[in-house]
Amino acid sequence: MSSEGEALTASTSYGTVDDVLELLPAVTLTLAGDALLISGQPVSKPSRTCGIASSAPNGPPSSIPYYNILWADVTEDLRYLRVDFAEQVRSHRLGVRNLKFAIPPRETPRSDIAPWVERLIDRAYSGVARRKRAWVLVNPHAGPGGADKVWDAEVKPIFEAARMPLTVVRTAYSGEAVHLAKEVNIDDFDIAVPCSGDGLPHEVFNGLAKRADARRALSKIAVCHIPCGSGNAMSCNLYGTHRPTLAALAIVKGIPTPLDLVSITQGDQRTVSFLSQALGMIADLDITTEHLRWMGASRFTYGFLILAFQQRTYPCDIAVKVDIEHKEHIKDHYRQQVVQFSGERNEAGQASDRSTKPEPIQSPSLAPSAPESDDGMGLPPLKYGTVLEKLPEGWELVPHEKLGNFYCGNMAYMAPDANFFSAALANDGLMDLITVDGDISPLKSIAMQMSVESGHFFDNPLVTYRKVSAYRIIPRDPNAKSYISIDGESIPWQPFQAEIHQGLGLTLSKKGAFDAPGPLNWDKVTTSERLRA
């Protein structure tokens, strides 16, 4: 990032009127509704953006959206007002640019301009914390590789321009982040930022879950994601992108979002899942293509085409605590949750607009206090016990002789353009469960897979889609050469049980909810609603 930036000249005096800062007639900066407006004649210098020449024309833009503004201040020599912001430098890539506006000599320029600068920062960070203290974990071996370079060249400059205190750790081996998160001082940080695929967030969540103060840790540290892997599902769901710099800006401006987590018990082990659990074709696809990480997301397409023609089945016994069974009712639930969330956000926005008290520079707490509990510390108790205990009362094991896919999701996207769980919500206390028979023809299987990208997968008659709060699955053949995938990580081919914990985790999202479109026509009036009218 250039230390010179660009300078706008001003004459011999300046002043402020409410949201307008005038540096004589040559330069006017205006705090408009959703952007900073800039007028004036620049004396421009070449701009540099994260080490890459900016594609923008010489001189400043005429406006900068508040969302893109990273920071503003008066330089130490009191000569310039500086504004740092994120600007598109390539398709799907942002860089940092700065503008310097010359301040004419005066005895106390900082005190005159400081209130205007504070109002600018207030608008740039409306409703979100500034200068979040970030614990960054970089996995150099994530996906096709290159996470180190992505962090240093693309993401770090954005965080630094936002004045975020950074502590950076480079992981050396698989599973290391579990141990690091278990021991980290959670009072030193507001957010954890894995730069990786989805494996490193899984490790961070599980490290926090292993702590004696697990509930406090999970509710205090917002686990985020810089996408550097093959699937990058977490980033797709939270920020609507798998591009590192776009995700970085979304984290800087991120809204604290409670996140449901799932307890998985297998044998005497208990782990947590934030993304998905799979048995069948999807799990085999996920695990057996690990050696093809160099292909990026294309590895999944390649693996699917091979497995589709095998028409393999995975006989299992499954017991499920079903909460919402019919697809029409699931759409009703989705709509109700979205409408309720929108109302709460609007009320919060109106309340925020009425407040004129400026936000403190240092990051406030990103989360409410830890949930109330018997011990106030560790993971919440299991409502339905473990897989080693007898089947919970009211549950019934149902044989599935021709199961092709058992796929349970806690988020919508499983990869870019792979919105498998379109009715998934961040904290509704329910998992989305999909089951598909394995004896369908390869052509139907391929067509069904294509319907994921088109948005028609939810309504496909070959897909059974339910909202559930717990389940147990028991593979029939203990010697089968098959896989179980938890958040993309392999666990032994043995029975396991899952149950969800509403809002146990914390993350940052762009909207305060998943950035996913939902099932097709979820916002239309349904037949059941017309009958109830």
Side-chain angles (χ1 to χ4, degrees), residues 197-264:
D198 295 307
L200 210 55
H202 172 84
E203 291 185 18
V204 172
F205 277 121
N206 275 278
L208 296 175
K210 290 180 181 297
R211 299 169 61 100
D213 60 347
R215 267 172 285 194
R216 177 172 179 264
L218 288 165
S219 67
K220 183 187 183 301
I221 297 289
V223 181
C224 306
H225 183 214
I226 294 296
C228 299
S230 301
N232 301 312
M234 188 174 188
S235 178
C236 292
N237 286 285
L238 299 178
Y239 322 126
T241 181
H242 62 286
R243 310 293 184 176
T245 56
L246 298 180
L249 180 58
I251 291 171
V252 169
K253 299 301 178 77
I255 298 171
T257 306
L259 182 67
D260 295 344
L261 296 178
V262 180
S263 276
I264 306 295

Side-chain angles (χ1 to χ4, degrees), residues 13 26 35 52 109 120 192 202 208 213 229 237 246 268 290 330 354 373 402 416 425-426 471 474 485 527 531:
S13 65
I52 299 173
L120 171 59
H202 172 84
L208 296 175
D213 60 347
N237 286 285
L246 298 180
D268 59 357
E290 277 286 311
I330 291 173
R354 290 193 295 267
S373 63
K402 297 181 179 181
L425 294 158
Y471 64 83
I474 302 174
S485 170
T527 301
L531 292 174

